Amino acid sequence: MEIDAAREVRTTCPYCGVGCGVLAKITADGQVSVRGDPDHPANFGRLCSKGSALAETIDLDGRLLHPQIHDRPAGWNEALDVVASTFQHTIAEHGPDAVAFYVSGQLLTEDYYLANKLMKGFIGSANIDTNSRLCMASSVAGHRRAFGSDTVPGTYEDLELADLIVLVGSNLAWCHPVLYQRIAAAREKRPEMKIVLVDPRRTMTSDIADMHLAIAPDGDVALFTGLLAWLGQHNALDRAYITAHTAGFGQALFAASTLDLAGVAAATGLSEDELSRFYSLFARTEKTVTVYSQGVNQSSQGTDKVNAIINCHLATGRIGKAGAGPFSVTGQPNAMGGREVGGMANMLAAHMEIENPGHRERVQRFWKAPAIAGEPGLKAVEMFKAVADGRIKALWIMATNPVDSMPDAGAVEASIKACPFVVVSDVLAETDTVRHAHVRLPATAWGEKDGTVTNSERRISRQRPFLAAPGEARPDWWIIAEVARRMGFGEAFAHKSPAGIFAEHAALSGFENDGERDFDISAYAAIDVEDYEGLAPFHWPAPSPGTPLWPAGRPEGGAQAQLQSEGGAQAGTRPEGATSIERQPTRFFADGNFYTPDRKARFIALRPTVETRITAAFPLVLNTGRIRDHWHTMTRTGKSPRLSQHIAEPFVEIHPEDAQRHGIGDADIARVSTPRGEVLVRVLVTTRQRPGSLFAPMHWTDQFAARGRLDTLTASLADPVSGQPALKHVAARIEKFTAGAFGFAVTRKRPVTMAADYWATARCRGGWRVELAFANDDIDWTAFAGSHFDAADAEMLAYHDREAGQHRIAAFQGEHLAGALFIAPGPVAVSRGWAAEQLGEVHASQRERFRIVAGRAGAERPDAGATVCSCFNIGVNQITAAVAAGCNSVEAIGATLKAGTNCGSCRSEIRTIIQACRVQAAE
């Protein structure tokens, strides 16, 4: 492929675990645009707001382009030699467990595979873990306890075939929007489909729900254990399936039966009527899919929650069938690929078990490795504690930002700062983690990377390059292989391309498998570069021809030789020359044959416990999560002006009753604190929030806000089985930050830091927008503005009303606005969108300049209001005006304004605005 030629390239989105196909079009002059791939079976052309804006995130602004050692430029040979020799010396002096890798679901499978191979097979330690530990480790543990393997039983098609979808701790509308849109489209075709949302918050996903169960924090085990008891009491069990394909049902049902309906109500905070209606609906609906995500996984009871859900599906035989099964949706583009290669500390490659001596011997023999890790390594939380106490002396962090994303992030940052040797491979020169690295290695980014990813339904897709690697950036797999070669392992890491790594990965998956393990893609063990380039998306398993899908000793007479499937061949056409041997979408376990010694699934007996973490000093429960248009720590989405307008600053949701009790108003700045730290965030008072709880997103870092690192508040408490941290049930308190002045600014120059108690920056077209708050107002505002606008020779216009606390200052360089600052005693009422637009306008006349100082657009340019639709930059005021003009449906708004017609992520918000307008009109 010619990188410099005009072309359209099929690739895969780098955001969540949906795994959407993307068509990247590159013109002859290098301009890039993206659209959804209509032939990719994960999304069929749909993209969310983040995927649609990918072309805005591929610039070189802020990129790490050259290796660095102790902040000085270095060549690749020097940097790689330092990394290899330091790791070698550390191992020789302190042993292999004195070093560690902390990797990421952002890595491609080929990168992940080599990192795991180097650490477990050649260094001889299992101290490699991943930020996927924060995402889906509890799902892995629950699957392995129940199924004997980390197997996702169903496919996305089940979401469209189900008659009941139960969404548990999953805000699909914002976090997995394309799956949400697939469900919404299926619902339009089959209005009889029912949807239940189980979530403490009334999220935007509730827009589609027939029933919202506003469950108490960590009430999920009680909810589903109560459901199992209900199914037993009302004869809603599949006795034949239980007898033939499971073990431990009696013990699980007995444990569940110790909690009556009143006890479940007390543990969940739900009424007995709500429980009865939900339980009855589940019991009578054969085609039921239970979708769960971080609300289940990110808990100290996460594994038990997963097994409580799986227990109900096993008890009803609703697993592996069209439209039925438990379904874990992952948060990262390649968390599943990391699971396949054994990228977690307690796993081996190809879904083999590190605790199993036979598996260890097999992998060591396949790799021809000098050693193999003999026991599980340190999981993420344990790993950074070991860094802190000195057990780990050399740490390599790849493609992740643990200083912001790990729980108790302040302690994690301190441990990294104190570590004798830290290597970071990243695409950006400045992140809160990169700043502490002794060696910085420039990695390729999306659009430059070449490899594969696996999505939540076990579908492997290609991520293809369409941009040349900038500067000296190199692929992660190449960096790992070069370090391995310098450590003396060159023969085992002599790969010339990602195709060769993928072929080795595929070969290992089938090595001495014979249907004994679920993960088998050995059909691709001999893939060459040409076929790899054309590889079409496919589900696993994909064993080599003649390999059984199940062991020879499987039960006779019942199960089919093939996995359950629906619908025939993969929908959509393949790119020219594409290679795939996929038969059809596959499901597991409809006829049993689990990956346990007796081929039977395991029920897990669970006794729900109610854990109270709040205290008099910290009386509220803090729930952390994500928002629609940002992702992780904003290293990618923070580059996009489009994505930065919907929600431009860190915030906290609080119920009106709690806000009143704590003396806090809407748009105030609040201090949210726990025993570990505090943040300053904007307040959003809303009845969508459960009383007694707070919600705040985890995206903001020191790069974008003064004190917005939310995970400095969370605890290192983790699930005892999975090691996944409990990020959604944290005791906290809230208090008003008494501001002497509030501010808003727009500036062409990015503010690095600002002399304000509260500040938050967001990209906009032509520059940056900044929210501000100050403890006092005794400040020279003109000097403050001049210092941040970088406009020493600019023409300054200012308005000051000191008695009213109102100050407005604008700086012009030629006919262009360099920056504008608006100060008020309360939250500034200036239209953010209009003010940001002025950075790109020509301001030739004095009248136009004074209009900026006045902070008002003319009557000919009405204020669009806060952004609702990022794809078409449509604001709330525009939607409200359209409703007043007679647009009374989401479809009508779309026809008039286009809002909601591209990715659809904002449709639930639009519907909420329409409903609010109706209520206001009725009053």
Side-chain angles (χ1 to χ4, degrees):
M1 180 183 68
E2 294 294 328
I3 287 290
D4 296 326
R7 63 211 174 278
E8 190 167 63
V9 175
R10 274 189 161 92
T11 185
T12 308
C13 181
Y15 287 118
C16 74
V18 176
C20 295
V22 174
L23 291 174
K25 184 176 183 179
I26 305 91
T27 62
D29 63 355
Q31 297 298 308
V32 176
S33 61
V34 300
R35 63 187 177 97
D37 184 348
D39 296 330
H40 196 289
N43 60 313
F44 298 106
R46 298 180 181 92
L47 287 180
C48 72
S49 58
K50 294 185 287 292
S52 297
L54 275 166
E56 295 183 10
T57 69
I58 56 177
D59 60 56
L60 299 184
D61 185 32
R63 283 292 297 270
L64 179 63
L65 297 176
H66 305 281
Q68 296 176 1
I69 301 173
H70 296 295
D71 297 323
R72 67 169 175 81
W76 268 112
N77 282 332
E78 182 187 8
L80 293 167
D81 285 346
V82 167
V83 174
S85 63
T86 305
F87 268 76
Q88 282 180 307
H89 293 155
T90 303
I91 293 165
E93 186 172 350
H94 303 285
D97 288 335
V99 301
F101 295 168
Y102 186 64
V103 297
S104 167
Q106 290 295 289
L107 293 177
L108 303 186
T109 298
E110 294 75 6
D111 309 323
Y112 244 137
Y113 179 84
L114 287 196
N116 185 58
K117 179 180 179 180
L118 174 57
M119 179 55 76
K120 291 192 177 123
F122 289 80
I123 291 175
S125 170
N127 280 347
I128 174 172
D129 212 48
T130 166
N131 63 6
S132 299
R133 180 71 60 187
L134 315 180
C135 173
M136 32 45 63
S138 292
S139 288
V140 174
H143 289 162
R144 293 175 73 180
R145 286 207 301 189
F147 308 148
S149 60
D150 177 23
T151 310
V152 175
T155 71
Y156 292 161
E157 186 182 39
D158 295 324
L159 303 176
E160 297 159 330
L161 299 174
D163 295 324
L164 170 63
I165 296 177
V166 184
L167 301 171
V168 189
S170 178
N171 186 8
L172 280 185
W174 276 20
C175 298
H176 299 92
V178 169
L179 291 187
Y180 177 84
Q181 293 304 325
R182 286 185 67 162
I183 293 170
R187 173 77 169 270
E188 288 182 8
K189 294 177 182 177
R190 294 193 298 118
E192 66 275 13
M193 176 193 285
K194 300 297 181 185
I195 298 172
V196 176
L197 175 66
V198 182
D199 198 304
R201 301 168 61 222
R202 184 161 52 87
T203 65
M204 287 300 170
T205 303
S206 67
D207 175 65
I208 204 174
D210 299 283
M211 185 186 305
H212 173 215
L213 301 178
I215 195 168
D218 282 336
D220 310 84
V221 175
L223 178 67
F224 284 94
T225 300
L227 174 57
L228 181 64
W230 175 281
L231 295 170
Q233 293 161 5
H234 292 78
N235 197 29
L237 302 169
D238 187 335
R239 296 282 183 182
Y241 190 91
I242 292 169
T243 301
H245 304 307
T246 73
F249 174 71
Q251 297 93 318
L253 185 61
F254 177 78
S257 300
T258 60
L259 200 63
D260 61 12
L261 199 62
V264 176
T268 60
L270 304 171
S271 70
E272 292 186 36
D273 177 64
E274 286 177 305
L275 292 169
S276 296
R277 287 190 291 117
F278 170 53
Y279 288 173
S280 296
L281 179 61
F282 189 102
R284 67 175 182 265
T285 310
E286 181 66 24
K287 287 190 172 184
T288 297
V289 175
T290 304
V291 177
Y292 58 93
S293 190
Q294 307 310 349
V296 167
N297 291 330
Q298 289 180 337
S299 168
S300 59
Q301 305 171 16
T303 306
D304 284 352
K305 290 183 182 184
V306 172
N307 286 117
I309 291 169
I310 291 173
N311 280 351
C312 296
H313 280 271
L314 292 174
T316 52
R318 298 174 189 170
I319 187 167
K321 299 176 181 177
F327 204 126
S328 163
V329 290
T330 58
Q332 292 200 84
N334 204 29
M336 289 283 282
R339 288 148 72 169
E340 294 158 9
V341 304
M344 301 175 82
N346 57 319
M347 302 171 70
L348 271 183
H351 281 200
M352 284 181 270
E353 300 170 1
I354 200 166
E355 303 90 347
N356 186 316
H359 289 185
R360 294 199 302 270
E361 187 277 333
R362 178 184 296 144
V363 173
Q364 183 176 5
R365 182 158 39 87
F366 180 87
W367 280 342
K368 300 182 174 68
I372 195 77
E375 59 185 11
L378 297 173
K379 299 168 185 173
V381 171
E382 300 166 332
M383 178 181 290
F384 284 101
K385 288 181 178 179
V387 175
D389 66 26
R391 283 175 288 156
I392 290 175
K393 302 178 186 303
L395 175 66
W396 189 352
I397 299 168
M398 305 180 198
T400 186
N401 196 7
V403 164
D404 296 314
S405 57
M406 281 291 294
D408 198 4
V412 169
E413 181 172 31
S415 73
I416 293 172
K417 289 171 69 173
C419 187
F421 186 64
V422 177
V423 183
V424 176
S425 303
D426 210 310
V427 302
L428 292 184
E430 291 291 338
T431 73
D432 292 355
T433 299
V434 167
R435 64 190 178 190
H436 301 304
H438 301 101
V439 178
R440 300 167 186 162
L441 303 177
T444 49
W446 183 83
E448 304 151 11
K449 294 173 75 70
D450 189 7
T452 59
V453 293
T454 306
N455 73 359
S456 295
E457 63 165 351
R458 294 177 281 104
R459 189 181 295 277
I460 295 174
S461 299
R462 286 278 279 113
Q463 218 179 82
R464 295 182 174 90
F466 54 87
L467 298 170
E472 294 184 274
R474 297 289 185 270
D476 288 284
W477 68 263
W478 180 90
I479 299 172
I480 296 162
E482 284 297 310
V483 170
R485 185 172 66 81
R486 285 164 168 79
M487 292 180 72
F489 310 128
E491 186 177 347
F493 292 84
H495 308 86
K496 302 299 182 184
S497 72
I501 304 169
F502 183 80
E504 181 180 318
H505 167 53
L508 177 55
S509 75
F511 184 58
E512 298 177 0
N513 189 332
D514 296 323
E516 182 180 313
R517 304 188 301 275
D518 62 337
F519 180 68
D520 188 344
I521 58 169
S522 55
Y524 297 93
I527 196 168
D528 58 21
V529 171
E530 182 179 355
D531 285 342
Y532 181 78
E533 175 58 31
L535 185 67
F538 71 94
H539 274 124
W540 63 259
S544 57
T547 302
L549 287 174
W550 306 110
R554 54 187 297 276
E556 295 291 333
Q560 302 171 5
Q562 298 295 315
L563 300 175
Q564 286 289 321
S565 62
E566 280 286 322
Q570 173 181 300
T573 59
R574 297 178 185 141
E576 184 177 352
T579 301
S580 176
I581 56 172
E582 169 157 335
R583 300 173 304 281
Q584 49 197 345
T586 54
R587 299 178 178 88
F588 283 83
F589 308 139
D591 295 311
N593 289 292
F594 295 89
Y595 292 92
T596 56
D598 61 2
R599 313 303 288 175
K600 292 187 174 185
R602 300 292 187 262
F603 280 94
I604 305 299
L606 300 168
R607 295 182 185 273
T609 58
V610 178
E611 189 170 355
T612 301
R613 294 182 187 156
I614 59 173
T615 64
F618 299 97
L620 299 169
V621 172
L622 173 63
N623 173 15
T624 72
R626 299 177 180 178
I627 59 173
R628 189 189 77 189
D629 289 357
H630 277 310
W631 197 74
H632 282 200
T633 60
M634 294 166 57
T635 50
R636 181 181 290 115
T637 55
K639 285 173 164 279
S640 166
R642 187 197 315 183
L643 297 177
S644 298
Q645 301 314 300
H646 179 235
I647 297 175
E649 60 185 320
F651 68 93
V652 61
E653 285 185 0
I654 185 171
H655 190 274
E657 295 173 3
D658 294 319
Q660 185 178 22
R661 184 176 302 113
H662 292 276
I664 295 171
D666 204 29
D668 279 346
I669 304 298
R671 179 181 288 106
V672 180
S673 59
T674 72
R676 289 157 295 282
E678 64 181 43
V679 296
L680 291 179
V681 292
R682 186 75 67 176
V683 174
L684 175 60
V685 179
T686 174
T687 56
R688 287 183 171 271
Q689 182 58 51
R690 177 186 172 88
S693 293
L694 307 171
F695 171 81
M698 51 77 71
H699 307 292
W700 276 266
T701 71
D702 286 348
Q703 309 299 313
F704 292 95
R707 294 159 72 182
R709 288 172 54 210
L710 192 72
D711 275 316
T712 59
L713 307 187
T714 56
S716 58
L717 176 68
D719 180 283
V721 180
S722 69
Q724 182 157 359
L727 301 178
K728 293 185 170 290
H729 188 173
V730 181
R733 66 171 171 240
I734 189 169
E735 54 193 316
K736 181 177 180 177
F737 171 76
T738 303
F742 290 82
F744 172 71
V746 293
T747 173
R748 288 214 303 262
K749 175 191 174 185
R750 179 177 183 176
V752 177
T753 184
M754 304 196 81
D757 298 278
Y758 172 86
W759 60 263
T761 64
R763 199 77 168 88
C764 63
R765 299 199 184 280
W768 298 82
R769 51 182 282 189
V770 189
E771 299 289 343
L772 298 155
F774 306 83
N776 65 75
D777 62 353
D778 186 19
I779 294 171
D780 182 338
W781 296 114
T782 302
F784 178 89
S787 67
H788 292 292
F789 294 161
D790 190 26
D793 59 342
E795 176 191 350
M796 306 287 283
L797 293 181
Y799 166 84
H800 300 285
D801 184 343
R802 290 176 174 79
E803 186 173 337
Q806 298 277 354
H807 306 268
R808 300 171 198 148
I809 301 145
F812 297 90
Q813 288 182 314
E815 296 183 339
H816 295 279
L817 179 68
L821 174 67
F822 306 89
I823 300 294
V828 177
V830 171
S831 166
R832 270 59 175 164
W834 170 82
E837 288 174 3
Q838 303 316 301
L839 293 169
E841 301 283 340
V842 173
H843 304 283
S845 73
Q846 205 69 356
R847 180 184 177 186
E848 291 169 340
R849 298 184 178 201
F850 278 119
R851 184 174 287 175
I852 293 175
V853 175
R856 293 191 301 271
E860 74 279 4
R861 296 186 64 176
D863 178 15
T867 300
V868 175
C869 174
S870 297
C871 295
F872 295 106
N873 196 29
I874 302 300
V876 62
N877 293 348
Q878 293 171 283
I879 296 170
T880 301
V883 174
C887 295
N888 292 318
S889 68
V890 174
E891 291 71 25
I893 294 292
T896 301
L897 300 175
K898 291 189 177 180
T901 61
N902 184 39
C903 75
S905 301
C906 62
R907 289 172 66 88
S908 53
E909 272 185 274
I910 294 171
R911 188 171 285 108
T912 299
I913 295 167
I914 294 170
Q915 291 168 349
C917 290
R918 287 174 181 164
V919 170
Q920 189 174 17
E923 294 174 345

